Amino acid sequence: MKQPVWDLPIRLFHWLLAALIAFSWWSVKNHHTDWHIWSGFAILTLLFFRLLWGLVGSSTARFSSFVRGPRAVRDYLHDSTNWRVAGHTPLGALSVVALLGAIAVQVGLGLVSTDEDGLNEGPLAQLVSLNVSETARDLHELFFNVVLGLIVLHAAAILYFRLVLGQKLVKPMITGRAALEPGVEPMRTGKWWVAVICLLAAFAVTRWIVAGAPPF
Amino acid sequence: MRNALLAATAAVALLAGCRQSADDQAANTAAPKSSQVLPITDDPAMVSARAPASKEEALKLMHDRHEGMEDIGDAFKVLGREMKASSPNLATVRSSAATIAGLAPKVSAWFPTGTGPDIGKTRAKPEIWRKPEDFAAKTRAFQAAAQKFDATAKAGDVTAIKAGFGELGKTCKACHDPYRAEKH
């Protein structure tokens, strides 16, 4: 019997984020800086949504349900059968937090960057000096390697679960359902209208930032 | 009307500059001197000036080219900042526009054969010397836009300045996209 593990907002968030990161990379490599910037705005919207949904969303989306301290991570590594909750494991949670954090840093750098020809700049570049803007651009380029490294680690972990532990993780992220062992607590689904409110709020904050974060 | 006049003046000034380097080249290639006022379009000679005689000379030119391009870029960034402001500082805009217009004619002499990545560290792609006509045409488009923008900046109409900045930026991008390698 398959049970719900990931809700629709989380699945959409995940795959859209993956697609947008790929698109951001492709567009900037092919000199479509304007598309690259818009892709960044879309990622920023997703990040705000994820942050809010992590507070008020379904149980497996909530940070409080999966972000654990070092002791829980150690215990999980010692005996993984002790973890009886559907969703991210304490170790996986580290990966989620690292990925979200790194992507947030990357978007933040992009927001204050100016390109080397002065043709394009992020909406918040005006808030910092030209020197800071140029440094931010260089860091934005360098830091992508960190994001990429975490993505590779993420994919490698999924491969490890598939090949070594015999557990399929990709399919549940598509269908939202997985066979849970007896005694494992399934997902408590959040309310759809809460998701809509989170999305609207994320749009609003992003719009404000895109406008250069004007004072109220 | 006034803009058209300014553009025409700028174009004439630019062409005068082009004629000089073209004349330089004519001595080398023994091309027939034409009495035309307009330069021959797609004349690669204008861009791929005289090849440097030694490696030292080539490296010196590549260094000057890098510095010059960086100066143009810096002026552009300053301009970009002003363009975002509701009322740009005209003095800043004019001095940056003048810097770009002053450096633009030099671009013609910056890419002679023998100054590519096989000689020294440069982001100039070998394609520049494989498609000299296209490169020359794009260089001229930039030079014309730079002079036009300088004139627009002097005239001081903010709407025209902002539009001109966009046009000038496109001519930078037109060359940088195909002919400049990524940062290493």
Side-chain angles (χ1 to χ4, degrees):
Chain A
M1 233 295 273
K2 295 210 167 176
Q3 287 173 295
V5 176
W6 307 118
D7 61 21
L8 185 63
I10 282 294
R11 284 177 280 150
L12 281 175
F13 165 82
H14 175 269
W15 293 113
L16 279 173
L17 184 61
L20 284 167
I21 289 173
F23 180 75
S24 294
W25 174 82
W26 177 87
S27 56
V28 81
K29 286 282 161 193
N30 289 281
H31 311 293
H32 298 296
T33 316
D34 43 349
W35 295 355
H36 177 81
I37 291 173
W38 280 102
S39 182
F41 295 159
I43 291 174
L44 186 62
T45 312
L46 286 179
L47 286 178
F48 280 128
F49 171 79
R50 182 64 187 89
L51 187 66
L52 295 169
W53 196 237
L55 300 176
V56 297
S58 305
S59 63
T60 54
R62 292 195 188 198
F63 298 120
S64 62
S65 78
F66 63 81
V67 179
R68 289 285 179 273
R71 186 177 296 175
V73 176
R74 204 184 53 210
D75 290 351
Y76 170 78
L77 284 172
H78 188 67
D79 181 7
S80 62
T81 55
N82 273 338
W83 186 253
R84 312 299 288 168
V85 185
H88 301 297
T89 65
L91 189 63
L94 290 181
S95 168
V96 171
V97 171
L99 270 165
L100 290 177
I103 294 163
V105 168
Q106 183 68 347
V107 171
L109 286 169
L111 287 174
V112 296
S113 287
T114 191
D115 73 8
E116 61 174 323
D117 296 335
L119 300 179
N120 298 92
E121 58 177 18
L124 302 187
Q126 305 277 328
L127 300 180
V128 301
S129 74
L130 211 44
N131 269 338
V132 171
S133 241
E134 285 171 26
T135 309
R137 197 214 81 94
D138 290 342
L139 291 175
H140 186 62
E141 192 172 344
L142 273 175
F143 199 76
F144 180 65
N145 295 309
V146 174
V147 175
L148 203 58
L150 289 169
I151 292 172
V152 168
L153 202 64
H154 172 62
I158 291 164
L159 213 60
Y160 176 81
F161 269 83
R162 178 76 187 86
L163 299 176
V164 180
L165 306 177
Q167 228 177 314
K168 291 182 182 175
L169 297 185
V170 177
K171 208 177 162 203
M173 191 45 85
I174 296 168
T175 63
R177 305 173 82 83
L180 298 178
E181 282 177 43
V184 173
E185 194 186 322
M187 175 179 72
R188 276 168 286 114
T189 311
K191 295 184 172 53
W192 67 267
W193 55 267
V194 176
V196 172
I197 292 173
C198 289
L199 186 62
L200 290 176
F203 266 125
V205 180
T206 305
R207 259 196 76 172
W208 175 70
I209 290 174
V210 169
F216 294 102
Chain B
M1 185 57 216
R2 200 173 59 160
N3 277 349
L5 205 68
L6 283 169
T9 318
V12 169
L14 173 68
L15 295 180
C18 284
R19 288 300 320 159
Q20 271 185 338
S21 48
D23 286 348
D24 264 4
Q25 204 57 31
N28 283 344
T29 55
K33 257 201 165 159
S34 81
S35 54
Q36 280 179 291
V37 179
L38 290 168
I40 308 137
T41 30
D42 296 331
D43 173 11
M46 216 188 82
V47 166
S48 49
R50 195 187 300 112
S54 64
K55 185 166 176 177
E56 286 68 40
E57 200 185 311
L59 291 175
K60 164 87 172 58
L61 189 148
M62 288 160 82
H63 175 79
D64 293 348
R65 172 170 82 198
H66 180 84
E67 297 296 309
M69 283 293 189
E70 207 159 67
D71 289 345
I72 295 175
D74 287 345
F76 228 89
K77 284 176 194 159
V78 171
L79 273 174
R81 287 272 152 129
E82 293 301 329
M83 293 304 114
K84 288 269 176 79
S86 50
S87 55
N89 182 332
L90 280 180
T92 309
V93 170
R94 283 176 183 144
S95 89
S96 299
T99 301
I100 296 169
L103 287 166
K106 294 192 181 180
V107 178
S108 303
W110 277 345
F111 295 91
T113 44
T115 59
D118 47 337
I119 302 296
K121 190 170 178 266
T122 178
R123 287 165 71 197
K125 284 190 182 175
E127 279 81 357
I128 291 171
W129 298 278
R130 270 184 230 134
K131 299 180 192 167
E133 290 84 8
D134 182 59
F135 187 78
K138 284 175 172 153
T139 304
R140 278 195 298 274
F142 162 64
Q143 290 165 330
Q147 303 308 328
K148 192 177 167 201
F149 182 70
D150 189 34
T152 310
K154 286 200 177 87
D157 179 81
V158 172
T159 315
I161 288 173
K162 287 188 177 177
F165 175 77
E167 290 306 311
L168 182 55
K170 277 183 203 159
T171 65
C172 299
K173 191 170 156 61
C175 245
H176 287 167
D177 284 1
Y179 295 121
R180 180 175 66 178
E182 281 185 52
K183 269 189 176 175
H184 336 268

